[in-house]
Amino acid sequence: PEWVRIRDAVQYAATIDEFVERLNKGNNGGYANAWLIADHNTGEIARVEQGLEFTSLERTFDGAYFGCNAVFDPRIRNLECKDNGFNDPRQQTGARRQRWMELIDQYYGKIDLEVVKKMLADTYDVYLGYNCPSSRDICAHYDVDPQYYADDPDAVWNIPFYPAGSCDAKAAGPDDVKHLKMWGRYGRADGVEFVAKGNVVKQYGWRSVRNEKEEGEDNVVLPEWKEGDILPIMGCSLTD
């Protein structure tokens, strides 16, 4: 399965080439994805797009890659998937792709952890031409979008005011990557409240995920784990 292959690749690959090799081993085409990779030892980054018949690898030491539910390799996009608005800013994939390119050009050479957080929280709608929470934003707000402009009424989630969109955000800088740390935000990436069936994120903001407590933080931190540890399941639930 895809989740087994990606775990194996992330945990055991020492280079980008080995990552791709491990990810492709046993590929059955299920849950085709684009993977963004950074080799901290060399400074090289890459984007791997994996279909069933085709795999695309882009890599550079000077640049930036992004993903937005759009397939960049035309072979995978047109022969293995449905071209879901790649060049159409009315569609979510096309709009987010355009906005990511704009932001990368705007911040090129200045992209750090704080800039990445701003990018993930961006709500500029390129089709409407102004800041407007909608399904077309990087920080997507489907639940406030009447879907007047969606070009594909049969696409998943192209339903007026559908309860979907940004539900968390994750970011990491070079030092975080080196020490297996990250920053996460539960809820909308821009901090806007989202309520569903009475549940609400009560404390907004970015939280660090690491093996020590941040000053002033009362949240539970991850315990230290080592190979061979057995973690008991304390509870579970089923959701229809």
Side-chain angles (χ1 to χ4, degrees), residues 175-186:
D175 185 67
D176 297 318
V177 172
K178 182 178 180 180
H179 294 95
L180 297 179
K181 304 173 182 177
M182 60 171 281
W183 291 83
R185 187 170 197 167
Y186 185 69

Side-chain angles (χ1 to χ4, degrees), residues 14 17 46 51-54 63 72-73 79 86 100 104 152-153 155 159 163 166 173-174 188 202-203 206 210 214 218:
D17 289 323
L52 176 60
E53 300 295 333
F54 303 102
F72 289 82
D73 188 299
L79 299 179
F86 185 78
W100 271 116
I104 287 173
D152 185 356
I159 302 169
S166 171
R188 296 283 195 221
K202 295 182 178 180
Q203 294 184 346
W206 290 87
R210 57 186 74 195
E214 291 292 298
D218 294 325

Side-chain angles (χ1 to χ4, degrees), residues 58-121:
E58 303 167 85
R59 56 202 305 172
T60 183
F61 287 94
D62 181 19
Y65 293 120
F66 64 91
C68 59
N69 295 111
V71 185
F72 289 82
D73 188 299
R75 301 170 304 168
I76 303 175
R77 184 171 71 248
N78 296 304
L79 299 179
E80 295 201 52
C81 303
K82 180 180 180 181
D83 183 0
N84 195 17
F86 185 78
N87 291 307
D88 191 340
R90 296 173 299 174
Q91 188 67 23
Q92 295 86 356
T93 49
R96 289 200 293 267
R97 185 176 73 90
Q98 180 178 331
R99 184 58 178 160
W100 271 116
M101 292 189 293
E102 292 174 353
L103 290 177
I104 287 173
D105 286 342
Q106 177 181 343
Y107 291 107
Y108 193 82
K110 305 174 185 177
I111 299 175
D112 59 12
L113 180 62
E114 295 307 312
V115 169
V116 168
K117 292 178 183 178
K118 288 177 60 177
M119 289 178 166
L120 292 172

Side-chain angles (χ1 to χ4, degrees), residues 17-43:
D17 289 323
E18 187 179 354
F19 178 95
V20 175
E21 180 182 352
R22 286 181 173 273
L23 189 63
N24 283 335
K25 185 177 181 181
N27 176 29
N28 61 4
Y31 202 61
N33 256 318
W35 304 101
L36 305 179
I37 317 162
D39 187 333
H40 187 272
N41 294 320
T42 65

Side-chain angles (χ1 to χ4, degrees), residues 108-170:
Y108 193 82
K110 305 174 185 177
I111 299 175
D112 59 12
L113 180 62
E114 295 307 312
V115 169
V116 168
K117 292 178 183 178
K118 288 177 60 177
M119 289 178 166
L120 292 172
D122 187 80
T123 55
Y124 185 85
D125 188 321
V126 297
Y127 184 65
L128 297 182
Y130 54 85
N131 278 301
C132 173
S134 76
S135 62
R136 291 174 295 278
D137 302 337
I138 290 176
C139 180
H141 289 251
Y142 280 77
D143 54 306
V144 297
D145 192 337
Q147 297 282 358
Y148 293 143
Y149 311 108
D151 69 336
D152 185 356
D154 298 320
V156 177
W157 294 2
N158 273 0
I159 302 169
F161 309 112
Y162 192 74
S166 171
C167 59
D168 62 22
K170 297 171 284 289

